[in-house]
């Protein structure tokens, strides 16, 4: 069943009924000011850090799940009838409801008793504010007298404190209302240099800033007393719950449309200019005034909206494909790229499943997010690499997370996730291949942000690999530490205290737990480093990495091989995990994936054996599950993985992040049909028709789809913020379609199913435009046999680097 449809032309997903199985959200903002917005206008906003600079309040796990947001209300002043054009929160039955989620904006519209309305929500580029442009049209044959009310509930900035510290917070709230602009200034009197503002372009009949006054006692957002009676109270909040609401009266003749603009923004004043006049408690508004005045103008809003659309057109234009398969085309050309931008920006912090409180920028996560993002804005990828590397520890290890506002490592979570450092090497390699900018390797970067500790980034990469080599266990495999990619495989934890964190509690020292996964990851990273060192003419490092890689490959192929698949790990006692010997958890997907991606077993048949085992034991119609059989009870020596009921999350759920590794593995071994088949099983667009089963948004990947052991097999959860975005982008664009940036050219290496014909690609790369045609007749399953570049046949399938910027390079690749 469908709840909407794709509008590929406009790069939008159009939701046509508001009661989607779960709230289907979008993100506003792509620089510093961000918000999440659901299809019924629920959600919240923040500046940079979802925990420390939360502008508007949102209550997670609410009933209904999504309540609270950027609500406007309309009231028919003739009859007293009122409704929400976004359906929530009044839930009046609407005609022609639609929510168009686009690239950085959402447009929610509907009709109710002859009154049409449409609100466009977006964040202008370069600004720390969001615009709600409401247009109301009278489709009736008679004049209409209406009231329009805006509403936003302010968060008292620190989201965790806001959710918990009521004895203080009920007394701190402060606002100012001047010239129709509502300023939220809680804690501005003391240490904060920032405030929020909520402005409106139309003359106002009244306003409210006290939630209690607006809603009325014992009422909720579905029937605020102010909206019901049509009378704002001009309330000024003192403590309790500050909010903002404007009341605008609209008299509309038949056919007439009016536009009202609301601005919700964040502003910082210099510490010594906080107040105006000085030595008062009044906010200095002179600094923010020009911005407010500008964006209350319809033309400025229109221009900002157009600029946002152009911006996205440019970003998505870096790679555009035409294959004729709609699920492939729209994900690669639009939605998967868009999701990669969102994961890059937000990491794992704020979604409907991440509260914006718990998790900062993950070292492992951000490094992988780069893989799907680097081609869009390499300069921001560069900055991210340097920020991330600056949190690395002198040992080469890493803080598992850092805070976006301070860019400092997070001490609460600490380090010891032994896979972390290797991902940095992969992120940097991707950056180098995309840009050719080797200057980044010489960039001085501190360790643990300590001034004076700066060393070239290149050395950080060396220490990353050194970190693994310094921590090898009895089999020669890397020690796992707190966990590896699988945060829930906690082999040194042994927790029997409820509530204790599996990731950060190490209850037992002295064990020998090793990870085959990190072994595979190490080989992948060491191979990248071999190439990087080689290009730098650092033959010593090149040789060292080559040797380390081949040594680790041997270890993985012996101690890490179980007979038909790669093993997963050895536990604290040195007992194998992910082996036919085990009763549960005999085969895990991650080592099959990462080892093959690293090239292990490609030449001696192990890769093919492992892939066959995955097909037999792990693949389901809804994707490849993480392991089999699932853990049916708590294994104290394994940790969080066995805390989940069977089929969920790391306990045999379809953990979508891992699936692309198998797609790549299938493509590397020449099975294009298999690779694409795995791809389409979890491709959200391809699952649109089963939305009542999948339930999450059909335009973005979810972290997890319930596995075959769960009663809800096929149900997705945790949409948006997952490494799934970047890795699927890599798998489809670089390995199945085969358009792959390399250090010295653009590799053209598609691996396709027999029934596919050719396809075309436009790829901007190193300042040139590559116009690529893949020529293939249906029936063939081979690889590129001949390539013609600008009319000349070349040897191999690497399109050379451009001779000059701005060049157009025509590539024809013939598949046999
Ligand atoms: C989840 C993991 C996640 C980890 C992060 C666990 O509860 O299952 O997917 O990576 O928390 O702390
Ligand atoms: C989600 C985390 O963000 C990611 O880093 C981890 O690899 C997966 N969960 C698997 O546990």
């Amino acid at each position: 069943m469908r709840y909407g449809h794709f509008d590929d032309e406009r790069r939008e997903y159009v939701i046509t009924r508001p009661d989607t199985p779960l709230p289907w959200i979008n993100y506003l903002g792509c620089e510093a000011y961000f918000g999440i917005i659901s299809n019924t206008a629920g959600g919240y906003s923040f500046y940079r850090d979802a925990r420390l600079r939360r502008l508007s309040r949102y209550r997670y796990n609410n009933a209904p799940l999504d309540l609270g947001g950027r609500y406007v209300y309309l009231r028919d002043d003739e009859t007293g009838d009122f409704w929400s054009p976004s359906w929530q929160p009044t839930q009046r039955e609407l005609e022609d409801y639609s929510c168009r989620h686009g690239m950085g904006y959402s447009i929610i519209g509907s009709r109710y008793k002859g009154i049409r309305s449409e609100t466009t929500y977006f964040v202008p580029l370069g600004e720390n504010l969001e615009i709600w442009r409401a247009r109301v049209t009278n489709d009736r044959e008679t004049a209409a007298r209406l009231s329009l009310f805006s509403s936003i509930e302010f968060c008292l900035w620190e989201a965790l404190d806001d959710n918990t510290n009521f004895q203080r917070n009920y007394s701190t709230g402060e606002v100012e209302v001047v010239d129709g602009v509502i300023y939220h200034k809680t804690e501005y009197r003391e240490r904060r240099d920032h405030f929020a503002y909520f402005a409106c372009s139309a003359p106002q009949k009244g306003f409210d800033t006290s939630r209690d006054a607006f809603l009325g006692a014992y009422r909720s957002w579905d029937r605020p007393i102010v909206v019901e009676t049509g009378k704002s109270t001009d309330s000024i909040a003192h403590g309790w719950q500050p909010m903002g609401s404007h009341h605008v009266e609209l008299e509309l003749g038949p056919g007439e449309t009016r536009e009202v603009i609301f601005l919700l923004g964040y502003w910082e004043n210099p510490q010594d200019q906080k107040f105006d006049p000085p030595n008062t408690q009044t906010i200095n508004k002179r600094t923010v005034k020009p911005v407010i005045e500008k964006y209350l103008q319809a033309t400025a809003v229109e221009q900002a909206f157009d600029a946002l659309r152009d911006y996205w057109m440019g970003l998505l234009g870096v790679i555009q494909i035409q294959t004729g398969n709609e699920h492939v085309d729209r994900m690669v050309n639009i939605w998967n790229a868009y999701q990669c931008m969102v994961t890059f920006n937000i990491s794992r912090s704020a979604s409907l499943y991440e509260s914006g409180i718990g998790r900062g920028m993950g070292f492992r996560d951000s490094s992988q997010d780069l893989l799907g993002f680097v081609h869009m804005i390499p300069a921001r990828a560069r900055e991210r690499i340097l920020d991330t590397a600056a949190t690395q520890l002198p040992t080469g290890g890493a803080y598992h997370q850092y805070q976006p506002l301070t860019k400092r490592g997070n001490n609460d979570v600490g380090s010891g996730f032994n896979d972390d450092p290797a991902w940095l090497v992969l992120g940097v390699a991707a950056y180098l291949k995309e840009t050719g900018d080797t200057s980044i390797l010489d960039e001085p970067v501190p360790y643990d942000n300590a001034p004076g500790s700066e060393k070239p980034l290149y050395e950080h990469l060396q220490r990353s690999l050194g970190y693994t080599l310094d921590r090898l266990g009895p089999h020669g495999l890397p020690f796992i530490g707190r966990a590896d990619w699988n945060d829930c495989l906690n082999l040194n934890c042994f927790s029997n205290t409820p509530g204790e964190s599996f990731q950060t509690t190490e209850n037992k020292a002295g064990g020998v737990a090793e990870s085959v996964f990190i072994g595979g990851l190490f080989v992948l990273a060491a191979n990248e480093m071999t190439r990087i060192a080689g290009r730098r003419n650092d033959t010593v490092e090149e040789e060292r990495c080559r040797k380390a890689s081949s040594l680790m490959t041997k270890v993985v192929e012996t101690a890490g091989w179980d007979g038909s698949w790669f093993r997963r790990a050895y536990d604290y006692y040195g007992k194998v995990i992910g082996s036919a010997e085990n009763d549960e958890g005999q085969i895990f997907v991650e080592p099959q994936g990462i080892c093959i991606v690293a090239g292990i077993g490609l030449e001696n048949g192990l890769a093919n054996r492992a892939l066959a085992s995955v097909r037999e034991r792990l693949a389901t119609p809804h994707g490849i599950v993480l392991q089999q059989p699932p853990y049916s009870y708590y294994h104290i020596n394994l940790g969080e993985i066995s805390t989940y009921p069977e089929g969920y999350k790391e306990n045999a759920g379809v953990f979508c992040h891992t699936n692309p590794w198998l797609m790549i593995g299938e493509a590397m071994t020449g099975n294009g049909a298999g690779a694409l088949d795995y791809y389409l099983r979890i491709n959200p667009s391809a699952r649109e028709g089963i939305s009542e089963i999948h339930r999450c948004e059909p335009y973005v990947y979810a972290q997890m789809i319930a596995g075959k052991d769960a009663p809800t097999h096929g149900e997705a959860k945790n949409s948006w913020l997952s490494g799934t975005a970047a890795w699927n982008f890599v798998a489809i664009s670089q390995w199945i379609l085969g358009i792959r940036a390399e250090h010295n050219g653009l590799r053209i290496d598609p691996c396709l199913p027999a029934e596919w014909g050719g396809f075309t690609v436009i790829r901007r790369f190193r300042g040139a435009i590559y116009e690529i045609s893949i020529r293939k007749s249906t029936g063939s399953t081979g690889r590129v046999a001949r390539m013609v570049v600008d009319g000349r046949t070349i040897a191999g399938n690497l399109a050379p680097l451009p001779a000059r910027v701005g060049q157009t390079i025509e590539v024809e690749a013939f598949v046999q």
Side-chain angles (χ1 to χ4, degrees):
M1 182 167 158
R2 287 168 210 264
Y3 293 79
H5 58 267
F6 287 91
D7 183 340
D8 294 336
E9 198 67 33
R10 290 178 45 152
R11 302 176 150 128
E12 293 171 343
Y13 190 82
V14 190
I15 300 162
T16 49
R17 49 184 287 183
D19 55 339
T20 46
L22 289 164
W24 286 0
I25 71 162
N26 192 14
Y27 284 79
L28 307 177
C30 45
E31 295 165 323
Y33 183 103
F34 300 104
I36 60 177
I37 182 163
S38 72
N39 56 308
T40 58
Y44 63 95
S45 299
F46 58 95
Y47 171 73
R48 285 193 192 278
D49 186 315
R51 171 166 172 185
L52 299 178
R53 293 282 189 283
R54 182 85 61 102
L55 262 84
S56 54
R57 186 173 281 157
Y58 193 73
R59 288 175 192 77
Y60 276 88
N61 211 348
N62 216 332
L65 209 49
D66 176 40
L67 178 62
R70 303 170 183 84
Y71 296 138
V72 297
Y73 298 84
L74 278 167
R75 177 177 192 273
D76 188 330
D77 287 337
E78 311 275 0
T79 62
D81 197 8
F82 63 92
W83 70 100
S84 306
S86 60
W87 191 62
Q88 274 277 67
T90 64
Q91 296 193 9
R92 294 280 190 286
E93 202 166 313
L94 303 170
E95 294 163 37
D96 289 343
Y97 158 89
S98 77
C99 166
R100 293 182 162 266
H101 283 321
M103 306 285 102
Y105 65 88
S106 292
I107 305 174
I108 306 180
S110 61
R111 220 155 69 115
Y112 181 78
K113 296 191 177 161
I115 304 297
R116 201 149 39 90
S117 73
E118 181 185 276
T119 308
T120 302
Y121 299 92
F122 73 101
V123 175
L125 293 168
E127 303 290 358
N128 296 321
L129 62 90
E130 66 188 62
I131 291 172
W132 316 355
R133 181 183 63 193
R135 284 185 176 149
V136 185
T137 303
N138 179 9
D139 280 347
R140 298 175 184 165
E141 271 154 23
T142 53
R145 240 175 8 95
L146 307 170
S147 280
L148 177 67
F149 295 90
S150 63
S151 69
I152 193 80
E153 188 176 355
F154 293 114
C155 177
L156 309 189
W157 300 113
E158 212 279 55
L160 178 60
D161 189 75
D162 184 67
N163 264 306
T164 45
N165 194 6
F166 305 109
Q167 61 79 24
R168 167 179 161 87
N169 296 339
Y170 282 174
S171 295
T172 55
E174 289 189 285
V175 297
E176 282 179 37
V177 183
V178 180
D179 297 336
V181 183
I182 295 164
Y183 297 88
H184 173 230
K185 59 181 243 185
T186 300
E187 293 189 346
Y188 190 73
R189 61 165 55 234
E190 28 132 345
R191 291 154 296 178
R192 292 190 187 276
D193 58 4
H194 43 271
F195 57 86
Y197 57 89
F198 192 35
C200 167
S201 65
Q204 292 146 48
K205 181 81 194 314
F207 64 86
D208 274 285
T209 69
S210 148
R211 190 186 76 189
D212 215 28
F214 181 74
L215 297 181
Y218 289 92
R219 285 168 175 251
S220 184
W221 298 92
D222 59 336
R223 48 184 200 111
I225 190 84
V226 161
V227 178
E228 192 173 289
T229 58
K231 289 194 187 75
S232 292
T233 72
D234 296 353
S235 56
I236 295 292
H238 298 282
W240 297 109
Q241 299 87 9
M243 57 97 63
S245 171
H246 308 93
H247 175 191
V248 175
E249 287 184 321
L250 300 173
E251 303 230 353
L252 296 179
E256 195 182 338
T257 300
R258 280 276 295 285
E259 178 175 301
V260 182
I261 298 159
F262 299 100
L263 306 180
L264 175 64
Y266 170 91
W267 194 260
E268 272 172 17
N269 270 336
Q271 276 290 348
D272 57 351
Q273 292 170 41
K274 277 173 63 171
F275 302 107
D276 180 30
N279 305 319
T280 66
Q281 289 297 305
T282 314
I283 297 177
N284 172 4
K285 306 174 189 73
R286 275 176 298 153
T287 45
V288 71
K289 226 174 174 166
V291 178
I292 297 180
E293 277 169 7
K294 174 173 175 190
Y295 288 103
L296 289 179
Q297 306 295 324
T299 47
V301 169
E302 194 68 39
Q303 278 167 12
F305 189 64
D306 290 347
L308 183 68
R309 293 193 74 141
D310 291 349
Y311 177 74
W312 270 103
M313 189 100 94
L315 291 181
L316 299 180
V318 179
I319 175 167
Q320 284 290 305
I321 59 159
Q322 293 296 326
T323 70
N325 180 312
E326 61 175 0
H327 307 304
V328 174
D329 287 0
R330 70 166 60 108
M331 289 310 292
V332 173
N333 292 339
I334 307 170
W335 290 99
N336 195 358
Y338 181 63
Q339 189 179 359
C340 285
M341 165 73 105
V342 171
T343 55
F344 174 84
N345 280 327
I346 312 281
S347 192
R348 307 296 173 267
S349 74
S351 71
L352 278 193
Y353 309 88
E354 301 284 5
S355 65
I357 289 173
R359 299 169 67 181
M361 313 297 290
F363 195 96
R364 168 204 298 146
D365 294 328
S366 291
S367 299
Q368 288 173 85
D369 291 343
L370 286 169
L371 306 179
F373 173 80
V374 62
H375 65 286
M376 283 193 271
I377 316 180
R380 288 189 65 200
R382 189 181 207 275
E383 185 189 352
R384 176 63 53 79
I385 288 170
L386 299 176
D387 287 348
T388 309
T391 68
Q392 191 176 23
L393 297 163
T395 56
Y399 283 103
H400 196 48
Q401 293 170 9
Y402 70 93
Q403 295 311 124
L405 214 52
T406 61
K407 298 187 176 176
R408 295 298 154 112
N410 179 344
N411 274 313
D412 297 342
V413 183
S415 72
F417 296 76
N418 283 353
D419 65 316
D420 271 334
W423 296 108
L424 179 66
V425 179
L426 300 191
V428 173
Y431 174 79
L432 292 170
K433 291 178 194 175
E434 183 63 35
T435 62
D437 167 25
T438 50
S439 76
I440 193 173
L441 295 171
D442 298 311
E443 203 64 56
V445 182
Y447 287 96
D448 198 2
N449 280 296
S453 67
E454 292 81 3
K455 292 283 179 214
L457 179 67
Y458 186 66
E459 191 186 303
H460 283 254
L461 303 186
Q462 291 175 304
R463 289 200 200 179
S464 290
L465 296 178
Y467 179 85
T468 305
L469 293 176
D470 291 344
R471 288 168 181 74
L472 299 180
H475 296 90
L477 287 163
F479 279 132
I480 196 168
R482 294 182 190 280
D484 60 21
W485 174 89
N486 189 330
D487 271 322
C488 297
L489 202 57
N490 317 115
L491 303 183
N492 298 303
C493 183
F494 292 84
S495 175
N496 49 26
T497 305
E500 196 167 71
S501 160
F502 287 97
Q503 276 93 40
T504 58
T505 312
E506 219 168 303
N507 285 328
K508 237 173 138 92
V512 289
E514 299 167 272
S515 162
V516 177
F517 177 86
I518 302 182
L521 179 66
F522 175 83
V523 171
L524 182 60
N527 292 350
E528 294 292 2
M529 193 63 181
T530 306
R531 285 186 282 269
I532 294 170
R535 296 181 65 77
R536 226 176 137 80
N537 297 321
D538 181 353
T539 48
V540 175
E541 182 65 23
E542 184 186 11
E543 210 29 49
R544 188 167 37 218
C545 290
R546 200 194 311 279
K547 278 213 184 103
S549 162
S550 90
L551 202 64
M552 186 66 78
T553 300
K554 286 205 186 79
V555 175
V556 169
E557 287 180 349
T558 49
W561 182 253
D562 200 58
S564 294
W565 57 78
F566 293 101
R567 298 178 156 182
R568 182 60 180 86
Y570 287 90
D571 73 6
Y572 178 90
Y573 307 103
K575 279 184 31 213
V576 69
I577 299 171
S579 158
E581 279 175 33
N582 300 114
D583 293 335
E584 304 191 321
Q586 294 176 335
I587 170 170
F588 281 68
V589 73
E590 313 99 290
Q592 322 314 321
I594 212 72
C595 292
I596 300 174
V597 171
I600 301 174
L602 286 179
E603 268 144 38
N604 55 17
L606 299 191
N608 279 323
R609 289 279 291 282
L611 289 168
S613 299
V614 169
R615 276 194 295 276
E616 270 160 41
R617 310 193 43 150
L618 300 177
T620 81
H622 295 291
I624 307 165
V625 298
L626 197 138
Q627 96 274 22
Q628 281 293 299
Y631 294 112
S632 62
Y633 61 94
Y634 179 47
H635 297 242
I636 193 170
N637 59 322
L638 302 181
E640 186 171 357
I641 189 166
S642 59
T643 66
Y644 286 111
E646 295 92 316
Y648 295 106
K649 293 277 285 179
E650 281 87 343
N651 191 12
V654 174
F655 216 97
C656 295
H657 185 147
T658 62
N659 282 216
W661 298 335
L662 278 303
M663 298 168 204
I664 297 172
E666 292 292 353
M668 287 175 114
T669 53
N671 180 8
L676 192 77
D677 177 22
Y678 282 156
Y679 174 75
L680 290 173
R681 292 185 201 196
I682 63 167
N683 175 306
S685 161
R687 298 173 64 78
E688 186 193 20
I690 53 162
S691 283
E692 76 285 4
I693 296 171
H694 184 79
R695 302 187 78 225
C696 278
E697 296 91 332
Y699 40 90
V700 289
Y701 287 97
Q703 180 202 58
M704 196 263 307
I705 297 173
K708 59 184 172 184
D709 306 292
T712 56
H713 187 29
E715 180 189 45
K717 268 184 208 146
N718 302 3
S719 54
W720 283 96
L721 304 182
S722 165
T724 308
W727 274 107
N728 272 286
F729 193 81
V730 169
I732 183 70
S733 66
Q734 300 184 18
W735 293 94
I736 300 177
L737 301 177
I739 311 299
R740 204 155 64 234
E742 291 192 0
H743 291 289
N744 50 1
L746 193 60
R747 183 73 63 191
I748 313 294
D749 183 27
C751 181
L752 303 167
E755 67 273 16
W756 269 44
F759 64 94
T760 59
V761 184
I762 298 194
R763 175 71 155 91
R764 292 208 307 263
F765 179 60
R766 308 277 184 108
I769 299 174
Y770 289 73
E771 294 181 351
I772 305 160
S773 305
I774 308 295
R775 310 271 183 220
K776 172 182 179 299
S777 43
T778 52
S780 70
T781 53
R783 309 304 271 255
V784 169
R786 192 161 71 86
M787 212 157 88
V788 180
V789 177
D790 283 336
R792 294 225 313 271
T793 299
I794 61 160
N797 62 350
L798 187 69
L801 295 175
R804 59 191 156 74
V805 170
Q807 197 179 349
T808 298
I809 298 175
E810 221 172 288
V811 181
E812 264 188 297
F814 297 85
V815 170
Q816 235 139 51

